[in-house]
Structure formats: C-alpha cells, structure tokens
Amino acid sequence: IRFICIYPIYINSKKTLAEGRRIPTEKAVENPSCAEIRDVLTAAGLNVYVENKMHPREWNRDVQFRGRVRVQVKQTDGSFCQDKFTSRKDVMFYVAEMIPKLKTRTQKVGGGDPSSQQGEGGKKSKKKKK
C-alpha cells in the first residue's frame, strides 16, 4: 500500500516555494498543523496516520510545526481509494481548502468576514465540487 506524505509546510501560506511550499499562496493556509490535516482527511474518509517527523527545511522545532501526515491514496490493487484524490496535489488542495472551515479556525478568526462563515453548519465532508 502506498501512503503519500503531507507535511504541513506544503500548504503553509507563510512559507515560500524555496522553503517547501507546494501550492499557490492564495490557496495555502496560514500555519496549518498536522492535527488539522489529519482531521480534514479523516473526515473525508481517507486512511490517515501521523508520524512525529520534521520536514528538512522546517527550521522551527516547535511541536506545532512537527509531524508529517501519511495518507493512503491507493488501494493494494492500485486503484484509488477515492476518485477525487488521484494525486498529492488533489489532497493538498483539498486540505488547504477545508482547514479554514474547521471549527477550531472559524472561531479564532472572529474579525473575518461574517457572511462567509454562515451556512457552513458544520457539514465538513459534504463539499460542493469546483
């Protein structure tokens, strides 16, 4: 079984590409944590586990920056677990899109634009496709 690695650094809007970010800043999330990535992917129904590893370009040794999430994207027979996740990019974009909608995030933001936070109603995994 192939598990892919997702380091929080890949989707961190505070990082540059040289520092390890892998998706465009406008889609990235500010300082995502392993727990958030895990929660989002578990809610999506993927097989996920967290390892206590560091990204080599992460100079910050803090616990919040620690960790790496392994995600199973393919079954043993090579077929995809879920059709919407066929690449690392799919997984990263999905996580980066969902983390801001997590309850832990929506409460903290507060001063954000209130209209965007209504109607979310905690439906985490029901997401309209782009």
Side-chain angles (χ1 to χ4, degrees):
I1 306 175
R2 296 266 324 279
F3 278 82
I4 62 169
C5 290
I6 303 276
Y7 284 99
I9 206 169
Y10 292 168
I11 58 170
N12 191 341
S13 57
K14 291 261 179 273
K15 299 284 174 193
T16 63
L17 286 173
E19 289 171 319
R21 180 167 51 76
R22 294 203 177 171
I23 61 174
T25 331
E26 61 271 13
K27 291 207 163 115
V29 190
E30 193 173 311
N31 298 330
S33 72
C34 266
E36 290 174 321
I37 297 173
R38 183 200 59 212
D39 292 348
V40 164
L41 292 173
T42 310
L46 287 170
N47 192 357
V48 184
Y49 65 96
V50 176
E51 296 173 315
N52 190 19
K53 299 281 186 192
M54 292 290 296
H55 188 275
R57 276 178 276 183
E58 176 58 83
W59 49 268
N60 193 329
R61 293 276 170 257
D62 267 8
V63 174
Q64 72 177 93
F65 293 107
R66 244 186 173 349
R68 153 174 97 182
V69 183
R70 302 303 295 267
V71 190
Q72 182 185 354
V73 183
K74 284 188 176 173
Q75 313 278 19
T76 25
D77 61 2
S79 66
F80 292 110
C81 297
Q82 290 193 27
D83 294 336
K84 61 178 171 179
F85 300 123
T86 54
S87 69
R88 288 180 161 79
K89 280 269 158 59
D90 288 348
V91 177
M92 286 185 227
F93 283 139
Y94 177 78
V95 172
E97 191 178 341
M98 295 310 285
I99 285 183
K101 299 179 184 170
L102 284 175
K103 290 204 165 57
T104 49
R105 290 264 168 162
T106 46
Q107 284 156 5
K108 262 190 290 195
V109 178
D113 135 29
S115 60
S116 67
Q117 282 168 19
Q118 282 157 2
E120 286 293 322
K123 288 203 285 281
K124 205 154 59 170
S125 52
K126 304 267 190 304
K127 183 177 135 301
K128 58 176 188 290
K129 283 186 85 86
K130 288 202 282 308

